[in-house]
Amino acid sequence: MKITRLETFIVPPRWCFLKIETDEGFVGWGEPVVEGRAHTVAAAVEELADYLIGKDPRHIEDHWTVMYRGGFYRGGAIHMSALAGIDQALWDIKGKVLGVPAHELLGGAVRDRIRVYSWIGGDRPGDTARMAKERMDDGFTAIKMNASEEMQFIDTFDKVDGVIANVAAIRDAVGPNFGIGVDFHGRVHKPMAKVLMKELEPYRLMFVEEPVLSENAEALKEIAPLSNIPIALGERLFSRWDFKQILAGGYVDIIQPDPSHSGGITETRKIANMAEAYDVALALHCPLGPIALAANLQLDANCYNAFIQEQSLGIHYNQGNDLLDYVKNPEVFAYEDGYVKIPQGPGLGVEVNEGYVRERAGIGHRWRNPIWRHKDGSFAEW
Ligand SMILES: O=C(O)[C@@H](O)[C@H](O)[C@H](O)CO
Ligand SMILES: [Mg+2]
């Protein structure tokens, strides 16, 4: 069997899909994308295609190794996301060839379903408590919110008070057992992170995410001892070698690799297994589309340390299209009691509606991250 073609589709709201074809009629889908850089990742896929055309799609581990190591320069958001989408599509093909879901080939499922959380905003506090309650009424058992608007290196306590008021209102609305993840989104610097971690401790959070940017992870040494809140990060780390530093540091409780950014199923599984050896939990990052989510669920099936899954179903930042629009079997993502079942169909377990993908690729998107400014005019992290 030989790979004959790789084709990318830039589709709303901000995604990129990849279709890999073979000479025996088997087809695989992946989602190679970094938010705000979809076209750049598509270009990287196109470059990697020179190597893949004519190869047997079933040799995933070897192709991954060559595509990672073979370019001399390696790693980073663009390369690892391109590799991720290709890897997902190759697992999709392999599963379809053998007539089993990808997780079966990874050693079989350790769970039937995974708890999921939903994102409720929070950049501009106000109605987050109402949204959290709505999500609870929808059957979710956990949400994630952004902590606050922008924050300068040292900022005023009205912002701290705003974060606390917001979280307190949510805790009040949803009761003691509902999971609340708070994403600092890399907006917070070490001094303010120290203040916030202490003040947030009474609200029994599920985790605080990116208390500081991962590139400033050495600050966790000072931040972690200040509270018992689990620390999560990893959506902006892309390989075993990136996570090695974090795990060896010992201050992180939950890693959040994104299987569309961190080298696909092959690499993310290895990252998850490394974390298990440090007694670190897994909460895969996925504010993306249906192919990415299906790949995530294949990993959740197989990785013992997974405890919750991010998903963007019905989220308002998906303007123009929702996750279910692109699939023929939307029931595969139905949640019940706050859980989503592990897909059991062959490959990734999602049936892509190719006609609709082509239609929406005709419209495409040029999604870009919002650009914010502090009150003094300097750039503010989004
Ligand atoms: O954890 C999350 O889901 C967010 O931090 C998103 O990854 C970010 O807004 C870019 O899409
Ligand atoms: Mg995040």
Side-chain angles (χ1 to χ4, degrees), residues 268-278 302-305:
T268 308
R269 185 200 186 206
K270 292 173 185 174
I271 293 166
N273 293 168
M274 276 169 62
E276 187 183 348
Y278 287 88
N302 178 258
C303 296
Y304 175 68
N305 47 343

Side-chain angles (χ1 to χ4, degrees), residues 14 35 144 183 185 209 235 285 287 310 382:
R14 56 176 186 172
E35 300 92 307
K144 184 167 87 184
D183 191 350
H185 222 255
E209 172 171 327
E235 70 181 85
H285 178 262
E310 178 172 27
W382 165 55

Side-chain angles (χ1 to χ4, degrees), residues 28 98 116 129 132 159 175 184-185 210 229 244 269 281 314 335 375:
L98 298 171
V116 286
K159 287 199 184 150
F184 286 10
H185 222 255
E210 290 194 330
I229 304 173
K244 171 171 72 171
R269 185 200 186 206
Y335 56 88
K375 277 185 186 147

Side-chain angles (χ1 to χ4, degrees), residues 208-289:
V208 161
E209 172 171 327
E210 290 194 330
V212 289
L213 282 164
S214 290
E215 60 242 48
N216 297 329
E218 70 285 343
L220 297 175
K221 186 178 179 180
E222 288 175 61
I223 294 167
L226 295 173
S227 88
N228 62 14
I229 304 173
I231 291 177
L233 57 80
E235 70 181 85
R236 290 186 264 191
L237 299 171
F238 311 110
S239 69
R240 277 167 283 170
W241 294 276
D242 291 350
F243 278 95
K244 171 171 72 171
Q245 325 288 345
I246 295 290
L247 293 169
Y251 298 105
V252 168
D253 304 292
I254 301 161
I255 56 159
Q256 302 171 301
D258 185 317
S260 274
H261 303 336
S262 56
I265 290 175
T266 301
E267 183 68 358
T268 308
R269 185 200 186 206
K270 292 173 185 174
I271 293 166
N273 293 168
M274 276 169 62
E276 187 183 348
Y278 287 88
D279 207 18
V280 167
L282 180 73
L284 294 174
H285 178 262
C286 189
L288 298 172

Side-chain angles (χ1 to χ4, degrees), residues 1-314:
M1 190 184 308
K2 286 187 170 62
I3 295 171
T4 52
R5 188 167 184 224
L6 286 82
E7 191 179 2
T8 52
F9 305 88
I10 304 286
V11 293
R14 56 176 186 172
W15 303 332
C16 176
F17 295 165
L18 165 68
K19 180 186 177 195
I20 299 186
E21 291 171 51
T22 64
D23 60 352
E24 293 187 21
F26 291 101
V27 162
W29 288 86
E31 206 170 318
V33 69
V34 160
E35 300 92 307
R37 301 259 192 275
H39 295 79
T40 319
V41 177
V45 169
E46 205 256 322
E47 286 178 346
L48 291 165
D50 292 348
Y51 172 75
L52 280 176
I53 302 290
K55 301 288 189 307
D56 187 327
R58 293 168 293 193
H59 300 168
I60 300 174
E61 192 72 33
D62 183 52
H63 296 331
W64 194 97
T65 302
V66 174
M67 287 188 290
Y68 177 74
R69 294 180 182 265
F72 187 75
Y73 296 100
R74 61 199 68 179
I78 305 300
H79 180 209
M80 297 306 281
S81 298
L83 199 38
I86 292 170
D87 180 84
Q88 292 165 1
L90 294 179
W91 278 104
D92 197 28
I93 290 172
K94 197 179 181 84
K96 286 171 177 169
V97 170
L98 298 171
V100 291
H103 68 258
E104 200 64 51
L105 300 170
L106 295 168
V110 299
R111 59 176 54 80
D112 308 320
R113 54 184 198 160
I114 181 91
R115 190 180 174 200
V116 286
Y117 69 80
S118 179
W119 189 80
I120 60 160
D123 295 336
R124 297 284 179 265
D127 56 354
T128 40
R130 180 186 53 77
M131 286 175 71
K133 185 70 175 43
E134 271 173 26
R135 290 298 174 175
M136 191 166 116
D137 295 340
D138 287 346
F140 283 98
T141 63
I143 53 92
K144 184 167 87 184
M145 58 183 281
N146 287 350
S148 73
E149 51 190 344
E150 68 278 3
M151 270 210 186
Q152 289 187 277
F153 278 77
I154 305 293
D155 215 314
T156 52
F157 274 82
D158 61 331
K159 287 199 184 150
V160 175
D161 292 343
V163 175
I164 302 305
N166 201 6
V167 172
I170 293 173
R171 177 55 77 212
D172 192 46
V174 297
N177 291 321
F178 199 79
I180 303 175
V182 177
D183 191 350
F184 286 10
H185 222 255
R187 290 169 195 167
V188 182
H189 301 266
K190 182 172 73 169
M192 299 310 287
K194 287 159 88 174
V195 172
L196 282 167
M197 291 299 279
K198 269 185 117 155
E199 301 225 7
L200 283 169
E201 190 178 36
Y203 300 97
R204 295 186 165 181
L205 300 181
M206 183 166 67
F207 55 75
V208 161
E209 172 171 327
E210 290 194 330
V212 289
L213 282 164
S214 290
E215 60 242 48
N216 297 329
E218 70 285 343
L220 297 175
K221 186 178 179 180
E222 288 175 61
I223 294 167
L226 295 173
S227 88
N228 62 14
I229 304 173
I231 291 177
L233 57 80
E235 70 181 85
R236 290 186 264 191
L237 299 171
F238 311 110
S239 69
R240 277 167 283 170
W241 294 276
D242 291 350
F243 278 95
K244 171 171 72 171
Q245 325 288 345
I246 295 290
L247 293 169
Y251 298 105
V252 168
D253 304 292
I254 301 161
I255 56 159
Q256 302 171 301
D258 185 317
S260 274
H261 303 336
S262 56
I265 290 175
T266 301
E267 183 68 358
T268 308
R269 185 200 186 206
K270 292 173 185 174
I271 293 166
N273 293 168
M274 276 169 62
E276 187 183 348
Y278 287 88
D279 207 18
V280 167
L282 180 73
L284 294 174
H285 178 262
C286 189
L288 298 172
I291 305 164
L293 181 57
N296 277 253
L297 294 173
Q298 296 299 329
L299 284 160
D300 289 326
N302 178 258
C303 296
Y304 175 68
N305 47 343
F307 78 103
I308 204 161
Q309 171 66 52
E310 178 172 27
Q311 54 90 51
S312 72
L313 249 166

